[in-house]
Amino acid sequence: MAKDSRLARAGVSGFNKPKRTPNHKTKSHIVVAKEGDKIKTIRFGQQGKTGDKTMTKRAKPFKARHAKNIKKGKMSAAFWANKVKW
């Protein structure tokens, strides 16, 4: 199978492998998400902000606010932000 052009364009090593994008003006990460036959390029995360891997005062409201979108799975930016940054 030939390598998908979206992977090269995004500069990631494979599907569902997030990568930091320090030169992007607003988003901190990019991922080419694949679920079944669906493929989607997703930019996520606020540039310059670090997530808290423990449940802190900042992490708890983020997870509560985005819970519905996180549950949507791999095809949502909230899922990736929760997995990678929080």
Side-chain angles (χ1 to χ4, degrees), residues 7 16 28 37 41 60 64:
L7 295 174
N16 301 326
S28 65
D37 293 347
T41 301
K60 194 173 180 182

Side-chain angles (χ1 to χ4, degrees), residues 19-22 26-30 44-48 85:
K19 181 182 176 186
R20 289 198 64 226
T21 54
T26 56
K27 298 299 177 188
S28 65
H29 289 74
I30 189 169
F44 64 92
Q46 185 178 349
Q47 192 66 270
K85 296 197 83 153

Side-chain angles (χ1 to χ4, degrees), residues 24-55:
H24 193 269
K25 65 181 185 207
T26 56
K27 298 299 177 188
S28 65
H29 289 74
I30 189 169
V31 66
V32 179
K34 182 175 182 175
E35 201 169 51
D37 293 347
K38 289 190 268 182
I39 299 173
K40 185 176 179 183
T41 301
I42 301 171
R43 287 191 178 275
F44 64 92
Q46 185 178 349
Q47 192 66 270
K49 294 288 182 197
T50 57
D52 303 317
K53 287 292 183 184
T54 57
M55 194 56 86

Side-chain angles (χ1 to χ4, degrees), residues 1-15 32-34 37-41:
M1 185 173 128
K3 195 168 182 183
D4 196 300
S5 65
R6 288 171 277 210
L7 295 174
R9 201 172 326 130
V12 294
S13 59
F15 294 113
V32 179
K34 182 175 182 175
D37 293 347
K38 289 190 268 182
I39 299 173
K40 185 176 179 183
T41 301

